[in-house]
Amino acid sequence: MDNQMEIIARNIKRLIKENNMTQKELSNKIGISPTTMSDYMNGRSKPSHGVVQKIADFFNVGKSDIDTTYKDSISPTNDILLIYNKLHKERQERVYMFAKYQLEAQNEELANPDITVLEDYKEQRREKIQDLEDADWLGIVSAGNGEWLGEDNSEVIQLPKHIIPLEADYCLTINGDSMEPMFHDQSYVFLKKDVELHSGMIGVFILNGEAYLKRIWFENDGARLESFNPKYKDIYVTKEDDFKCVGQVVL
């Protein structure tokens, strides 16, 4: 079986299972024969671009969630709008406030080209931001190839109150670019602890002693940790691995 056809087949099987459907039901929904669907599922043929789009539209996912070769052509703007429109009003307001803060920070950087020392810039920001709040900071998490995370790193830091989600229990600093364009290198990510794991959840996970910021998918008897940046390969988790969830990302 061709490797890409195997990936496509595995992803279609996962979506069918997650939505409690059968192959026949899906084939009827998207207008193809059960035999053709069986060929896709068993790696005997590869679905056309149009069929991939139909499956993606039916499950309300991106084409890259089915065929990973589409990753490079994903429009971040469309993805952001799709996610935003699915959120409840309260969560939409949080996303808006976070984006507004990022824009203000960017505009301030552009308006102050003479600030060349990082500490000077930080001091100026501290003087202008009055409404600060304590946040429990647990250290650094990898948005790349893994980062050790220990409880000894825990400390209290102050952050602008409006960027801290109401549900957040603590925060971490991101190291790496594997979750671009949604999560940026050296920015903060906020987590809610004691959550129930489910496919599609974005969280921080410890795998064999190293912490990762990833999206998780449960497949067969294991799990797959996915990056948003297409240059990073998925990480697979087996029963033999030491694996746990630190918390779910909240916005």
Side-chain angles (χ1 to χ4, degrees), residues 60-124:
N60 200 22
V61 298
K63 289 191 291 185
S64 65
D65 291 317
I66 300 166
D67 185 343
T68 55
T69 60
Y70 284 101
K71 279 195 171 184
D72 290 332
S73 62
I74 294 174
S75 168
T77 301
N78 290 338
D79 277 0
I80 291 170
L81 287 174
L82 180 63
I83 294 170
Y84 180 84
N85 289 332
K86 290 181 181 179
L87 294 173
H88 294 156
K89 183 177 180 181
E90 181 182 348
R91 293 181 181 275
Q92 287 180 338
E93 290 175 353
R94 294 180 197 169
V95 172
Y96 169 76
M97 291 303 297
F98 179 77
K100 183 179 179 182
Y101 170 75
Q102 292 295 321
L103 179 60
E104 289 173 352
Q106 175 180 284
N107 290 340
E108 186 168 334
E109 290 174 9
L110 295 174
N112 294 276
D114 294 333
I115 298 178
T116 57
V117 180
L118 179 60
E119 290 305 315
D120 290 345
Y121 172 74
K122 289 182 177 179
E123 181 61 31
Q124 187 179 91

Side-chain angles (χ1 to χ4, degrees), residues 98 101-102 137 139-141 143 159 163 171-176 179-190 213:
F98 179 77
Y101 170 75
Q102 292 295 321
W137 181 79
I140 297 173
V141 62
L159 295 173
I163 74 166
C171 67
L172 295 158
T173 300
I174 298 171
N175 182 32
M179 295 301 281
E180 297 275 5
M182 188 171 184
F183 301 98
H184 301 287
D185 184 27
Q186 300 307 309
S187 64
Y188 292 107
V189 63
F190 298 90
L213 171 65

Side-chain angles (χ1 to χ4, degrees), residues 14-249:
R14 170 178 55 79
L15 290 168
I16 288 174
K17 182 178 180 180
E18 289 175 356
N19 289 272
N20 297 315
M21 297 182 66
T22 64
Q23 294 182 33
K24 185 176 181 180
E25 287 173 336
L26 177 59
S27 63
N28 290 336
K29 292 290 186 181
I30 65 172
I32 64 174
S33 70
T35 301
T36 300
M37 178 61 71
S38 178
D39 288 341
Y40 298 155
M41 301 290 280
N42 291 286
R44 289 190 291 268
S45 64
K46 182 179 178 181
S48 66
H49 300 310
V51 171
V52 171
Q53 185 66 65
K54 286 182 179 180
I55 297 173
D57 290 343
F58 178 77
F59 288 117
N60 200 22
V61 298
K63 289 191 291 185
S64 65
D65 291 317
I66 300 166
D67 185 343
T68 55
T69 60
Y70 284 101
K71 279 195 171 184
D72 290 332
S73 62
I74 294 174
S75 168
T77 301
N78 290 338
D79 277 0
I80 291 170
L81 287 174
L82 180 63
I83 294 170
Y84 180 84
N85 289 332
K86 290 181 181 179
L87 294 173
H88 294 156
K89 183 177 180 181
E90 181 182 348
R91 293 181 181 275
Q92 287 180 338
E93 290 175 353
R94 294 180 197 169
V95 172
Y96 169 76
M97 291 303 297
F98 179 77
K100 183 179 179 182
Y101 170 75
Q102 292 295 321
L103 179 60
E104 289 173 352
Q106 175 180 284
N107 290 340
E108 186 168 334
E109 290 174 9
L110 295 174
N112 294 276
D114 294 333
I115 298 178
T116 57
V117 180
L118 179 60
E119 290 305 315
D120 290 345
Y121 172 74
K122 289 182 177 179
E123 181 61 31
Q124 187 179 91
R125 290 292 297 165
R126 281 193 289 267
E127 291 175 358
K128 290 188 176 182
I129 298 174
Q130 301 297 322
D131 195 7
L132 299 177
E133 185 172 292
D134 289 345
D136 291 327
W137 181 79
L138 294 189
I140 297 173
V141 62
S142 173
N145 297 314
E147 191 89 34
W148 185 82
L149 182 68
E151 294 181 356
D152 293 341
N153 293 330
S154 177
E155 63 179 86
V156 176
I157 62 174
Q158 286 196 318
L159 295 173
K161 185 176 181 179
H162 68 274
I163 74 166
I164 303 176
L166 296 176
E167 299 170 294
D169 292 313
Y170 41 76
C171 67
L172 295 158
T173 300
I174 298 171
N175 182 32
D177 64 350
S178 75
M179 295 301 281
E180 297 275 5
M182 188 171 184
F183 301 98
H184 301 287
D185 184 27
Q186 300 307 309
S187 64
Y188 292 107
V189 63
F190 298 90
L191 302 177
K192 178 179 177 61
K193 60 183 179 181
D194 300 328
V195 296
E196 183 177 349
L197 285 172
H198 59 82
S199 275
M201 185 183 91
I202 302 172
V204 172
F205 308 96
I206 295 181
L207 175 62
N208 298 326
E210 294 188 328
Y212 297 86
L213 171 65
K214 302 291 178 185
R215 179 162 60 177
I216 190 169
W217 298 103
F218 291 103
E219 301 172 343
N220 301 321
D221 294 328
R224 175 169 58 92
L225 301 182
E226 179 190 35
S227 300
F228 290 165
N229 189 332
K231 75 178 184 180
Y232 289 87
K233 295 181 179 180
D234 293 343
I235 299 171
Y236 290 90
V237 183
T238 67
K239 290 181 178 179
E240 288 71 34
D241 289 314
D242 182 11
F243 179 74
K244 69 176 182 178
C245 174
V246 176
Q248 179 179 7
V249 171

